[in-house]
Amino acid sequence: MGKILKGAAHKLAAVACAVGIAGGALTAPAAQAAAPAIAIQGHKTTTANGATCTIGYVEPDRAWTAAHCGFNGQAIYNEFGSHIGTLRYFWPSGTAERDLAYIQFAHGTVAGGNPISGDGIRPVPEPGGIICATGRHTPETCSAVTPRRARPGMVSAQLMHKISGDSGSGVYIPGQPGVVGIFSGETLKNFGADAGTYSNFALMPSPHEIATLPHQGRVSRHPDLPVSVNTGNLAEHGLRYVGEPMEAFSSTSSRGLLIDDIRGFIGTFGIFL
């Protein structure tokens, strides 16, 4: 209940910024207040071209989510439309291998913590151990870890029944603070002794891997997304819809485009090499 109330409080605060209450009636304000630039575990992320996911784990200068939630180097916004940072693939190959990414926070972004799992990064339990995930659109569901390893850095569990938009959720052990991984999605294996449908999650990095991430510190802030698209901002919205993914690809290719960069880029479209 405390998690629900906390989430509701943030949403009410956003509504209070968007509308005024006078004489018992709701009235539009003279000017729209800025959306809160905050990243909270379990909240929604979105891109200018409409891809939505869930924030899985929050640290002081970054938040973790799934790599397929955007392009490497793309601007990420929170559920209020406020720019919170830039998506960085943990591996250049992105979702083609280890479906893990972090959002490098922009200047002014507030790290809102981990109200679902608590703080900490834990090792994944042995096969048969129970793990859980709470998505942006689904409540907590739990399942058992399996011996199956879909790809390097990825672990499979029995089906957890998540839906689109839940990708990026933190995976945790019930009753223990911290996360063991980031929810990726489902895989149907229709042959062999282990045929069935599985939920997959990416393992969290080690402390050494986090300390040596190539992108440290904060990035410059982008303008917030418009609350709604209308005739006044249609051109701007269209430019951002196309331009921000291209900007991400350009920033990645500027250092020299490698095969893993290409795999990561097209893997966002569900094409794996």
Side-chain angles (χ1 to χ4, degrees):
M1 179 63 73
K3 297 172 187 174
I4 295 173
L5 290 175
K6 185 171 183 178
H10 285 293
K11 292 178 182 177
L12 287 173
V15 172
C17 290
V19 299
I21 301 177
L26 297 179
T27 59
Q32 180 185 329
I38 187 168
I40 303 174
Q41 184 186 45
H43 277 209
K44 181 176 76 173
T45 67
T46 187
T47 63
N49 54 308
T52 63
C53 279
T54 300
I55 295 174
Y57 186 71
V58 177
E59 295 185 295
D61 287 316
R62 69 182 68 86
W64 293 87
T65 189
H68 73 259
C69 295
F71 297 105
N72 197 13
Q74 187 170 11
I76 300 293
Y77 304 85
N78 66 10
E79 58 187 59
F80 309 116
S82 182
H83 178 236
I84 57 173
T86 298
L87 192 73
R88 308 291 189 187
Y89 291 172
F90 179 66
W91 286 354
S93 52
T95 189
E97 288 186 271
R98 193 169 177 178
D99 192 10
L100 181 66
Y102 58 98
I103 303 166
Q104 182 184 8
F105 285 162
H107 292 292
T109 297
V110 176
N114 301 289
I116 297 172
S117 70
D119 297 340
I121 295 175
R122 309 184 67 88
V124 66
E126 295 295 322
I130 301 299
I131 49 92
C132 304
T134 302
R136 181 67 182 85
H137 302 291
T138 59
E140 180 182 77
T141 52
C142 301
S143 184
V145 174
T146 73
R148 186 175 184 273
R149 299 292 185 266
R151 300 188 298 276
M154 300 292 294
V155 176
S156 295
Q158 297 297 331
L159 187 61
M160 297 177 72
H161 299 289
K162 295 300 179 188
I163 63 174
S164 178
D166 289 337
S167 297
S169 304
V171 177
Y172 50 89
I173 301 170
Q176 298 184 22
V179 296
V180 300
I182 296 296
F183 182 78
S184 172
E186 298 173 358
T187 297
L188 172 62
K189 189 174 187 296
N190 54 14
F191 59 89
D194 59 345
T197 305
Y198 298 90
S199 291
N200 302 312
F201 61 94
L203 295 175
M204 291 297 290
S206 68
H208 172 73
E209 288 173 321
I210 291 176
T212 56
L213 289 172
H215 299 282
Q216 303 283 349
R218 301 273 179 137
V219 298
S220 300
R221 179 168 301 285
H222 285 218
D224 292 348
L225 291 177
V227 175
S228 61
V229 179
N230 53 50
T231 55
N233 61 24
L234 183 61
E236 177 194 354
H237 179 76
L239 286 173
R240 295 179 71 172
Y241 185 97
V242 176
E244 290 192 2
M246 291 301 99
E247 178 186 358
F249 184 71
S250 175
S251 67
T252 302
S253 60
S254 64
R255 59 176 173 76
L257 201 60
L258 305 176
I259 184 62
D260 276 348
D261 296 314
I262 297 172
R263 293 175 67 205
F265 183 78
I266 66 173
T268 307
F269 299 99
I271 304 169
F272 302 123
L273 292 179

